[in-house]
Amino acid sequence: TYAVLFRAGRDIFADRGALLLPSDRFPTALANTGKTVAIRNSKENVIDEVAYPQATAGRSYERLSDLTWHTSTDARGGTPGSENSKKADPEPELPEPGDYSQPGDVIINEIMANPAGLTELPETEYVEILNASDSGFNLKNWTFVYDGNASPLPDSTLKPGAYAILFRAERDIFADEGALLLPFDKFPTALSNAGKTIAIRNSKETVIDEVTYPQATAGRSYERLPDSTWHTSTDARGGTPGSENSKKADTEPEPEQPKPGDVIINEIMANPAGLTELPETEYVEIFNASDSGFNLKNWTFVYDGNASPLPDSTLKSGAYAVLFRAERDIFADEGALLLPFDKFPTALANTGKTVAIRNSKENVIDEVEYPQATAGRSYERLPDSTWHTSTDARGGTPGSENSKKADLKPELPEPIDTIWTEPLEIIINEILANPYTGGNEYIELYNRSNKSLIISNLVIALRNVEGNFRTHYPLKSITDTIQPDGYIVLTESREGVSNFYPQSPFKSVYEVKMPILNNERGTIVLFRTKDDIVIDEVDYSSDWHHSAVKNQKGVSLERINPQVASNDKYNWTSAVMEAGYGTPGYRNSQNKPEAMTDKISISSPEYMYEFDYYEVKYKTDKQGYKCRIEVYSTSGMKIAEIANNQLLTMEGFLKWDGKSQNGSKLSSGVYVFYAEFFNAQTGDRKVFKRAFIVK
């Protein structure tokens, strides 16, 4: 499909079927003298770039099927939205004489950055350029650019098919007969051996060619091959200044030119608990899907935004590599490349994270956000680039072809009855009505029931002063459920929340159409679509903020106790500074548990997203209590131990990492929490037993 980009408000004609893309930001006037234009994708990778030349009045500049360009021969002057015109048999007349060089007409063909050790050639650094076009070019006002600094070339003419050698004046040079020697004072005193970017610009400052050369090899030039790839010279002299470049050695590895998708993340084992045929080791498998081999030196593995260097190894075309933590056991099929390294995460999050591979230039080659992990099962990429849980009997396929998708439909989570949410099972738990500049408003919902609840059948609206609903904002786009003790954040921009509250779990934030919240006061209503039954309603006010908060911008209102009435103004206050003035998607900074009637009380384990551990709060009536806290399966089997005869203060909390007695993470589900308090001094004893959810 073709798309035509133009300035909004201007007339345009395009053939039927073309996509019209008017934009207010399209330039008011494209320069007739020529400019560089490009298309970038959402990750800011350049997808295509063209430097167009001096424009011909009433004629477009069109790409030909061989990727060369010409002035349109169509009678209309251009072919917007349809196949380009053919090149005229007689070449179209050229514009008036001038510098009509285009990118690729003259190419950088050879670079000698480290001449140390040369014997048949002088130990002089040089850059060779080649006129690859059918026209001669006067190099007056052309420049050689090294590391961003431009130096004028001597006033000379470079004939078609001719070579020119650029070097520093007064240095010795040798070049084959017929080559043009271009000594000049501004040539760098020393080309960096570590690699730099060099370029050639014409008199109009258009980049005609640009090359970033790599680490230089002593006594060897870096040469361009006919297919525009590069290699280290195989000529016995060390280089070929002023003549045809040497041929590529049969055994020389392909140079590194990776593009996004050349190497893909192919398999992720985030929760190896329960594996028997494979070691209980977390790993990430990558696959070279290209026709070239790549050296992974200076490549990085990125986990949750943190980059770790990969070992210096070569990944051949069509080969698998298995990334894992050094000193852990691993099994991979024969032929796979094993890449153990110390900076591999000690534990991949079972709840899901984003992982990526970057090349040596820090370009993202592939990126995957994996979901909630299944114990003893890897997450595998299918040939159509969708993903599934491995069906291999071993639980994963490290270093080999991934398993096939099961013929049967993929397993679904435990079925959820289509039960409509009842009033106050889900509550409005946090409100940001006055966001930071550049940020977005949000409303946080909290499931205070003991069951998973559907969100898609609910609606958010504001109530006006007459008591009527304003515009309805259905939440039908949220297909996920909200788990017991779970949170969901509603906003119009995830980045508008996560950029200002980085502790916010990204997966708990959902982009939906939202009502505009008044900074001072308003009434937010959550209700059911089928019958308008109100689930929760809050008449919030900026007066509910703590008196110490002088500037309310970016400060959310938090519910203190989820069990207290929604419109009790004393149950709302400002999020604290230590939490960044907002806690979207996790426990409120001002949260206080429901008051207990017993003198001794303890809460069930509560998962702390921001710290990745469970917290058990307790309170006693006197000093001297010890406790024993254990976790059981619903069948009565002891699974984990949180505390064993531990001496307690009168009030505090205990931390639990969510692991079983054998050190593995517990899988999601319902467990039984057992706590026994005993005071040896008084003989008092208290036992608690209740069910809770592990996420």
Side-chain angles (χ1 to χ4, degrees), residues 151-208:
S151 303
L153 295 184
D155 183 359
S156 304
T157 298
L158 186 60
K159 297 178 181 178
Y163 299 91
I165 310 297
L166 284 59
F167 63 103
R168 190 165 182 83
E170 301 181 0
R171 298 279 175 88
D172 293 330
I173 198 70
F174 171 85
D176 287 3
E177 186 175 355
L180 179 64
L181 298 182
L182 297 178
F184 55 103
D185 295 331
K186 291 295 184 70
F187 191 88
T189 54
L191 295 176
S192 170
N193 293 344
K196 284 286 183 183
T197 298
I198 60 177
I200 297 291
R201 293 183 187 153
N202 68 7
S203 59
K204 296 176 181 177
E205 298 194 357
T206 300
V207 174
I208 301 302

Side-chain angles (χ1 to χ4, degrees), residues 301-581:
F301 170 66
V302 186
Y303 172 75
D304 196 25
N306 298 311
S308 303
L310 294 184
D312 183 0
S313 303
T314 298
L315 184 60
K316 297 178 181 178
S317 172
Y320 299 89
V322 182
L323 285 59
F324 62 103
R325 190 164 181 84
E327 301 181 1
R328 299 278 175 88
D329 293 331
I330 197 69
F331 171 85
D333 288 0
E334 186 175 355
L337 179 64
L338 298 183
L339 297 180
F341 55 104
D342 294 331
K343 291 296 185 69
F344 191 88
T346 53
L348 297 176
N350 293 344
T351 53
K353 285 286 183 183
T354 297
V355 295
I357 295 292
R358 292 184 188 152
N359 67 7
S360 57
K361 296 180 181 178
E362 297 194 358
N363 296 325
V364 174
I365 301 303
D366 196 23
E367 185 176 60
V368 173
E369 183 177 357
Y370 67 90
Q372 175 82 29
T374 301
R377 291 281 161 189
S378 70
Y379 192 50
E380 293 181 329
R381 196 175 203 137
L382 292 168
D384 62 359
S385 289
T386 59
W387 290 74
H388 77 143
T389 302
S390 179
T391 59
D392 192 279
R394 299 170 297 171
T397 54
S400 62
E401 186 177 3
N402 289 342
S403 63
K404 294 182 179 179
K405 195 169 184 178
D407 293 333
L408 299 175
K409 292 182 179 179
E411 292 184 9
L412 296 174
E414 288 299 317
I416 300 170
D417 294 333
T418 309
I419 300 173
W420 290 84
T421 303
E422 297 301 324
L424 297 178
E425 287 187 327
I426 296 176
I427 59 171
I428 298 167
N429 197 54
E430 187 174 348
I431 302 166
L432 179 66
N434 188 359
Y436 290 113
T437 302
N440 280 79
E441 301 171 344
Y442 66 78
I443 299 170
E444 179 192 78
L445 305 180
Y446 170 68
N447 182 357
R448 69 177 198 176
S449 76
N450 60 0
K451 58 187 178 183
S452 297
L453 295 171
I454 298 170
I455 293 294
S456 58
N457 54 24
L458 301 179
V459 176
I460 282 282
L462 298 181
R463 197 187 290 278
N464 61 24
V465 292
E466 289 80 24
N468 300 318
F469 290 154
R470 294 181 181 174
T471 305
H472 291 196
Y473 294 88
L475 306 181
K476 59 184 178 182
S477 63
I478 303 178
T479 56
D480 297 329
T481 58
I482 182 170
Q483 300 299 313
D485 198 32
Y487 303 85
I488 276 183
V489 179
L490 311 176
T491 183
E492 290 203 339
S493 170
R494 294 176 98 185
E495 286 75 14
V497 174
S498 60
N499 288 349
F500 296 91
Y501 307 94
Q503 297 292 343
S504 174
F506 202 63
K507 66 177 184 177
S508 298
V509 183
Y510 293 81
E511 288 186 350
V512 294
K513 286 289 185 182
M514 287 267 292
I516 298 174
L517 304 180
N518 187 289
N519 291 350
E520 300 302 321
R521 61 181 63 252
T523 302
I524 304 172
V525 187
L526 179 70
F527 58 93
R528 303 196 304 210
T529 55
K530 71 169 184 175
D531 52 15
D532 289 354
I533 292 294
V534 172
I535 303 302
D536 194 20
E537 181 171 346
V538 176
D539 301 317
Y540 72 90
S541 169
S542 60
D543 294 338
W544 292 0
H545 279 288
H546 194 283
S547 59
V549 176
K550 305 303 181 186
N551 183 1
Q552 297 176 2
K553 184 173 285 294
V555 183
S556 73
L557 280 172
E558 292 184 334
R559 189 190 285 250
I560 297 171
N561 188 332
Q563 307 304 326
V564 175
S566 296
N567 288 310
D568 183 346
K569 66 179 182 179
Y570 299 107
N571 193 45
W572 290 82
T573 190
S574 309
V576 299
M577 180 182 67
E578 289 78 7
Y581 291 117

Side-chain angles (χ1 to χ4, degrees), residues 252-256 258-259 261-264 286-296 299 313-321 334-337 399:
E252 186 173 355
E254 289 288 331
E256 182 186 62
K259 305 182 299 296
D262 281 350
V263 175
I264 60 174
I286 61 176
F287 174 65
N288 186 346
S290 75
D291 297 327
S292 303
F294 297 115
N295 187 283
L296 303 180
W299 286 44
S313 303
T314 298
L315 184 60
K316 297 178 181 178
S317 172
Y320 299 89
E334 186 175 355
L337 179 64

